[in-house]
Amino acid sequence: MLYYLRGMCIYTCKYKFGVDIMTLSEEILELKRKNNALILAHYYQRPEVQDIADVVGDSYYLSKYAFESTSQLIIFCGVKFMAESVKILSPQKKVILPVYDAGCPMADMVDETKLIELKEKYKDAAVVCYINSSTEVKALCDVCVTSSNAIKIISKIKAKNIIFLPDKNLGGYLQERFPEKNFILWNGFCVTHQKVRVDNIKKSKEAIKDAQVLVHPECEKKVRDMADFIGSTGEIIDYATSSKNKNFLIVTEEGVLRELKRKNPNKNFYFPQVMSCVNMKKTRLEDVRNSLINQEEITIDEEIRLKALSALTKMHEMAR
Ligand code: CIZ
Ligand code: SF4
């Protein structure tokens, strides 16, 4: 009897849940059409949010897409620095972040006063920030990078000394790739990627011996050292798609699974450890719907925007 009741309960919840999602998605698509909006979603967003988006991608691709699009209303399902990057590049467009407090703890690890001191100390250094930085920090830097274009951009920088922030792991990876450079690293990290344990990867490798290990550079060196391939979200998806291998251990945020499965329905993807970014998962379909109704847009002080624009424009030029 108990089993029966529990079964009923699960069935009812599932049924109800399914109906709610359908109705909300339809409502969002209707509002999107009426407002001529463009919905962008990062690979780390909830699958149902990725499903209703016009475009799914990484921060670099999405900011480029928003800049080139003719749409004047952009709903960015991601975190604050991503939506702000779009607004910096396209100030005439209305850019909306559906959940206003969806931030990035790594971006918040930079203290602007300390950065100014560091710049004073290493006057000849190029100042490079990961796109996971606030607009105020971007305004203090020479150029931005993302995990998908960092190698290309660093290879074009002439200075030997490079102040790199906030991610010490991506910075450490770049130092390994460019031993002739001297990286001065900030002590920042991604809370989601930092907690990956080598033991968990080892156990998964023992269970699925032929699996290839695909790792994001935001992971620590000891984790990166276990990788068959190190790359950004987009690069991990491309690598798995073009590989002849069938089994993969994915060491980045779990949201990438939707795109990996969509492109590779016959391949198997395993996560040695649950990796879920709390901030990326804040955006629900309800928030997307409400943002299309309320249209509370992002605003940035014009003086800071222009300074941050220089670092972002340089990134787009150098990544070509
Ligand atoms: O640049 C991005 O979108 C981030 C944060 C991760 C990645 O590797 O794509
Ligand atoms: Fe920030 Fe990490 Fe979340 Fe990306 S996954 S938004 S770096 S906390």
Side-chain angles (χ1 to χ4, degrees):
M1 184 62 177
L2 184 62
Y3 176 75
Y4 172 74
L5 280 176
R6 284 180 63 192
M8 279 289 284
C9 178
I10 289 164
Y11 173 77
T12 312
C13 289
K14 263 192 172 172
Y15 177 71
K16 209 169 158 265
F17 194 51
V19 168
D20 284 345
I21 285 181
M22 277 308 293
T23 314
L24 258 179
S25 302
E26 282 167 7
E27 204 182 329
I28 289 168
L29 295 179
E30 181 61 14
L31 281 164
K32 187 182 78 144
R33 197 187 51 75
K34 270 195 197 145
N35 288 282
N36 198 13
L38 174 70
I39 303 184
L40 305 177
H42 192 267
Y43 288 131
Y44 293 166
Q45 290 287 293
R46 291 168 183 270
E48 66 272 22
V49 171
Q50 296 187 42
D51 285 347
I52 52 90
D54 295 295
V55 188
V56 179
D58 64 13
S59 55
Y60 174 60
Y61 180 76
L62 294 176
S63 68
K64 199 162 173 287
Y65 193 97
F67 179 71
E68 287 162 4
S69 155
T70 55
S71 179
Q72 295 303 305
L73 176 61
I74 293 164
I75 310 293
F76 198 113
C77 305
V79 291
K80 196 172 172 202
F81 76 81
M82 296 179 174
E84 285 194 350
S85 297
V86 169
K87 183 69 181 175
I88 293 166
L89 287 163
S90 311
Q92 75 290 359
K93 295 181 182 172
K94 205 179 211 185
V95 181
I96 296 172
L97 179 68
V99 177
Y100 200 72
D101 71 346
C104 168
M106 170 154 72
D108 295 339
M109 287 175 191
V110 181
D111 171 332
E112 284 149 60
T113 313
K114 287 216 176 89
L115 174 57
I116 293 168
E117 283 167 18
L118 202 60
K119 283 175 58 161
E120 275 297 308
K121 192 170 166 197
Y122 296 95
K123 284 204 167 65
D124 65 338
V127 187
V128 181
C129 66
Y130 193 18
I131 196 159
N132 301 37
S133 301
S134 68
T135 302
E136 289 75 11
V137 167
K138 285 187 180 90
L140 291 169
C141 295
D142 297 319
V143 62
C144 274
V145 298
T146 69
S147 37
S148 61
N149 61 30
I151 289 179
K152 196 169 194 178
I153 290 175
I154 299 291
S155 74
K156 292 181 181 174
I157 291 178
K158 294 208 170 58
K160 181 175 166 62
N161 287 335
I162 297 178
I163 296 175
F164 187 86
L165 66 152
D167 188 8
K168 62 178 176 184
N169 294 320
L170 175 61
Y173 172 62
L174 293 169
Q175 177 69 83
E176 286 164 29
R177 298 290 299 252
F178 296 92
E180 72 283 10
K181 301 275 188 204
N182 176 38
F183 279 76
I184 299 127
L185 301 178
W186 198 267
N187 191 23
F189 55 88
C190 164
V191 288
T192 308
H193 287 80
Q194 183 77 13
K195 53 182 185 215
V196 179
R197 289 185 42 213
V198 165
D199 276 3
N200 289 330
I201 302 178
K202 276 189 186 151
K203 273 186 215 149
S204 304
K205 270 259 356 143
E206 274 159 29
I208 312 151
K209 293 211 166 39
D210 68 340
Q212 285 201 308
V213 184
L214 314 187
V215 173
H216 196 280
E218 285 175 19
C219 295
E220 289 182 292
K221 177 169 168 51
K222 58 188 177 202
V223 174
R224 295 197 307 270
D225 285 347
M226 303 197 67
D228 292 297
F229 177 77
I230 300 172
S232 67
T233 51
E235 288 168 333
I236 285 177
I237 293 163
D238 289 348
Y239 182 92
T241 305
S242 56
S243 168
K244 289 200 170 62
N245 234 63
K246 198 167 162 37
N247 296 323
F248 299 91
L249 299 181
I250 303 299
V251 190
T252 190
E253 214 273 354
E254 64 187 14
V256 295
L257 183 62
R258 176 192 173 273
E259 194 67 7
L260 283 166
K261 269 314 231 183
R262 194 180 71 80
K263 289 198 163 146
N264 305 283
N266 299 321
K267 293 182 182 176
N268 303 315
F269 302 100
Y270 305 91
F271 286 78
Q273 192 171 321
V274 177
M275 291 175 72
S276 182
C277 172
V278 175
N279 280 279
M280 280 287 182
K281 297 295 185 272
K282 280 183 179 169
T283 310
R284 294 163 188 271
L285 285 178
E286 288 87 333
D287 302 306
V288 181
R289 188 253 331 262
N290 295 347
S291 74
L292 277 159
I293 296 169
N294 303 333
Q295 298 200 11
E296 282 170 30
E297 64 177 311
I298 282 183
T299 55
I300 300 176
D301 173 83
E302 185 60 7
E303 205 183 317
I304 297 177
R305 187 190 73 80
L306 288 173
K307 285 186 190 154
L309 177 65
S310 158
L312 273 176
T313 307
K314 216 173 268 172
M315 171 181 87
H316 281 277
E317 282 166 10
M318 291 175 82
R320 264 190 223 131

